[in-house]
Amino acid sequence: MPSGSSVRGVRTAPSNSPPSSSPASPRTRRTGTSCGRPSPRAPPLRFPYRAASTGREEVRTVHPWGMGARFGHWYVVGFDTTRKAERFFRLSRMTGEPVLLKGTFDVPASFDMNSTLSSLSRSEPDRAAVIAVRPGSCQVLRVRKNTEVLQTGEEWDTLRVPYAASSPMAATIAGLGTNARVEEPQELATEVARLLEGAFDAAVAAPDGVEITSGARPVPRRKSSSQDHLLRLLDLVPYLLAHPGADVGDTARRFDVSETQLTKDLDLLFVSGPRHYPDGLMDVNIEDGRIYLTNARDLAEPVKLSMDEACSLIVGLQALRELPGMRNNEAIVSAQTKLTAAAGDAARIGSAVATKLTEDDIDPTLEVLQAALHSGVRVAVDYFVPTRDEITHRLLEPIRIFLHQDTWYLEAWCVDSDGLRNFRLDRIQSATLTDEPATATEDDASAARERGSAPYRSGDADHAVTLVLEPRARWIAAQYNADAVQELGEDRLAARLKVASTSWIPGLVASLGGSAAVVAPDQLREETLRWLEEARAHQALA
């Protein structure tokens, strides 16, 4: 199971793994401090923190009880000594390094991070916007939870759309261009106009002649955590034993690592084995670009894990049990029970560190797709396609479900398109099992696993689009799987994307409000500039 784990058709990529120390060989016992729950008497923490509600930076002193990931963010939970209450603190809002203080505190015996994490909720919509939209357009607003249609007409429909924060809502509306116009509140309309103005100014000022050279470095891979590394090493040995003479390049792609990283892994395996003398170590040979692993027959002996590795596995098993349909999975329950019993003090990790992999809004869809995978039938879905601003009906043959950068995807054979496609679960409006048998084979599933977990893959007919990205928009390169990037100075980046259609690019640029601009091809650059100019004029009429 390269770069993640698979259970009943659900594949999880460990993108939420907490920071940990350097990985060790799966056969090496290592001493050190457990990454789990603080000891019964642990020291307090002090750190500078920027509050989400006020934007002010304050120094907080906290008795940390546990740590967990949800909604794509890591949180530490503990007792805030100033407010005299339990509080969540998002790690990304810590503006400086935490400092250990003198003294100790007791962790409440009843504290469980999994339960606490479940109590954390997204910001609930506390305001509403009245928005005029063209009939048949702006599906992203129409499918929003609790949206009301106040009025329909030949030229405009009027929607009442709830929202929680102005910035993301304004970005969504700006990306709709002349198809939407804010009628109230005025501050939201002003924010939309500001974004469009900024995007237009950036488009006008975008540099000419930006070309990414053929030797430009690709987008760097996400830094691997010790959990990633451990899982890869555990998978690498049986794979090489089952595939003697495996090609180096093919093996690196299968495990979603560079050939350089694979070579480092093989060097680590070379000094690994169940016994501490030469005859007990594995032999790894690379001849003509092919890998041969020998002297590994004794690897069936029990694996010895370090404390950190045991912690990572316990947290991973607990996260899998939280997935729909997995709570009573016998294999997971048995593995977690045995590992917890053997881990001793490290087992406290189960109540102090947690990660929630799914949310309530996609759980029903996930359950239907799991059922389709188990029963081998096709599934009918209504799917929102933001790039075309429409909801389409699809007949799909699910192959796998995977997690990438905190977003769940379905890889499936689309019967209507007669091709392999990826679908975001949060964009599936409905999913219904059919009685039609799926024709996707195990070979299709194996090929899917070899492709890795990137949701975006370029095709021969794709268009190349080059964007100049300001520092706050550099994430675009990774999000859309840029095939090449080039630094421009002042932390600006040129990124070349391969896209099936360019129709959505002007809306993306508009939503970013000046932090991105199209520089190539020239035709798209001119189209984007006209799109932004028309959108500015349209909003000015509001």
Side-chain angles (χ1 to χ4, degrees):
M1 50 181 181
S3 299
S5 55
S6 300
V7 180
R8 290 190 179 179
V10 179
R11 182 175 185 278
T12 60
S15 59
N16 264 345
S17 300
S20 59
S21 55
S22 301
S25 162
R27 292 286 171 177
T28 303
R29 182 181 297 276
R30 186 176 59 202
T31 59
T33 303
S34 165
C35 66
R37 185 177 194 164
S39 61
R41 301 197 63 79
L45 281 179
R46 177 174 293 163
F47 49 84
Y49 189 78
R50 186 180 65 256
S53 56
T54 64
R56 293 195 300 267
E57 183 177 300
E58 302 174 355
V59 175
R60 302 293 185 92
T61 300
V62 176
H63 297 169
W65 296 344
M67 201 166 103
R70 194 174 184 190
F71 307 130
H73 301 288
W74 275 92
Y75 299 85
V76 63
V77 179
F79 182 78
D80 187 321
T81 60
T82 301
R83 290 155 180 78
K84 305 297 182 183
E86 179 182 340
R87 289 288 187 270
F88 282 86
F89 299 93
R90 206 165 91 182
L91 267 61
S92 61
R93 293 193 181 124
M94 293 182 181
T95 57
E97 292 291 330
V99 177
L100 289 174
L101 304 178
K102 294 182 179 180
T104 59
F105 66 90
D106 293 324
V107 178
S110 60
F111 177 77
D112 181 85
M113 190 61 204
N114 283 289
S115 300
T116 301
L117 203 60
S118 295
S119 70
L120 182 65
S121 61
R122 294 184 189 270
S123 299
E124 291 297 325
D126 57 359
R127 61 194 89 176
V130 177
I131 305 172
V133 299
R134 298 193 189 277
S137 71
C138 303
Q139 300 300 330
V140 68
L141 299 178
R142 295 176 187 271
V143 301
R144 199 179 183 96
K145 185 178 180 181
N146 295 328
T147 288
E148 299 177 43
V149 179
L150 301 180
Q151 182 178 338
T152 60
E154 293 184 2
E155 294 187 8
W156 296 97
D157 295 341
T158 304
L159 308 180
R160 183 180 183 277
V161 185
Y163 66 101
S166 295
S167 295
M169 188 61 173
T172 297
I173 298 170
L176 296 172
T178 58
N179 283 332
R181 184 176 67 239
V182 178
E183 296 190 347
E184 59 180 68
Q186 183 57 46
E187 57 265 27
L188 182 61
T190 301
E191 177 68 8
V192 172
R194 186 191 66 79
L195 290 175
L196 290 170
E197 192 70 30
F200 178 79
D201 292 344
V204 172
D208 294 319
V210 175
E211 295 184 3
I212 298 181
T213 62
S214 58
R217 66 175 179 82
V219 178
R221 298 175 184 269
R222 179 178 58 85
K223 185 177 180 181
S224 176
S225 70
S226 64
Q227 184 179 0
D228 296 334
H229 199 187
L230 172 62
L231 290 169
R232 187 168 66 248
L233 289 170
L234 289 174
D235 286 339
L236 192 56
V237 173
Y239 175 79
L240 293 176
L241 288 174
H243 300 82
D247 181 78
V248 171
D250 290 343
T251 303
R253 285 188 290 274
R254 180 180 179 85
F255 284 83
D256 197 25
V257 295
S258 65
E259 292 187 22
T260 300
Q261 181 59 54
L262 177 63
T263 301
K264 292 179 180 178
D265 290 347
L266 295 174
D267 288 341
L268 181 56
L269 291 179
F270 183 75
V271 295
S272 300
R275 296 182 175 86
H276 301 288
Y277 47 84
D279 290 343
L281 301 179
M282 285 179 282
D283 291 327
V284 181
N285 297 305
I286 301 178
E287 301 175 6
D288 298 325
R290 296 192 172 277
I291 309 167
Y292 299 90
L293 183 64
T294 58
N295 202 31
R297 59 184 179 275
D298 292 330
L299 290 177
E301 293 184 4
V303 175
K304 298 177 181 179
L305 301 175
S306 71
M307 295 284 276
D308 286 347
E309 290 160 352
C311 289
S312 295
L313 289 176
I314 291 173
V315 172
L317 290 169
Q318 180 62 43
L320 287 176
R321 288 191 65 183
E322 293 298 318
L323 291 173
M326 297 292 180
R327 179 164 294 279
N328 297 317
N329 180 282
E330 293 182 3
I332 297 177
V333 172
S334 175
Q336 184 181 17
T337 301
K338 292 176 181 177
L339 186 58
T340 300
D345 288 344
R348 289 197 302 265
I349 189 74
S351 60
V353 177
T355 178
K356 188 168 176 59
L357 298 177
T358 65
E359 298 303 332
D360 295 341
D361 53 349
I362 70 164
D363 281 353
T365 301
L366 186 55
E367 289 178 351
V368 172
L369 297 178
Q370 283 178 307
L373 284 163
H374 283 281
S375 56
V377 298
R378 291 174 171 177
V379 60
V381 304
D382 290 323
Y383 187 72
F384 168 51
V385 186
T387 57
R388 300 203 301 267
D389 191 18
E390 64 180 8
I391 295 176
T392 61
H393 183 75
R394 311 285 186 97
L395 190 61
L396 306 178
E397 296 186 356
I399 293 176
R400 62 167 179 161
I401 305 165
F402 65 94
L403 182 66
H404 179 76
Q405 295 184 354
D406 306 308
T407 301
W408 282 96
Y409 293 86
L410 166 70
E411 183 169 42
W413 185 266
C414 182
V415 176
D416 307 88
S417 303
D418 194 28
L420 197 65
R421 299 287 188 273
N422 286 335
F423 302 89
R424 279 180 52 158
L425 265 61
D426 58 348
R427 291 178 181 164
I428 295 178
Q429 304 302 303
S430 66
T432 306
L433 293 175
T434 72
D435 56 4
E436 301 178 40
T439 59
T441 65
E442 179 58 32
D443 289 341
D444 296 322
S446 297
R449 287 191 289 270
E450 290 184 6
R451 283 187 291 272
S453 59
Y456 302 101
R457 292 188 294 272
S458 60
D460 295 337
D462 285 355
H463 306 274
V465 176
T466 302
L467 303 177
V468 169
L469 306 173
E470 297 297 325
R472 63 181 180 274
R474 288 174 65 101
W475 59 270
I476 292 290
Q479 180 70 26
Y480 293 98
N481 201 28
D483 68 337
V485 298
Q486 189 164 304
E487 297 289 347
L488 300 179
E490 298 180 350
D491 209 22
R492 298 164 73 227
L493 188 73
R496 186 176 64 211
L497 315 181
K498 293 294 186 67
V499 297
S501 168
T502 61
S503 62
W504 57 279
I505 296 294
L508 172 68
V509 170
S511 69
L512 294 170
S515 57
V518 177
V519 294
D522 290 339
Q523 181 179 351
L524 179 60
R525 177 174 180 167
E526 294 170 2
E527 289 175 0
T528 302
L529 192 59
R530 286 196 299 271
W531 190 99
L532 291 169
E533 192 167 22
E534 292 172 1
R536 288 168 65 229
H538 172 70
Q539 291 297 331
L541 297 176

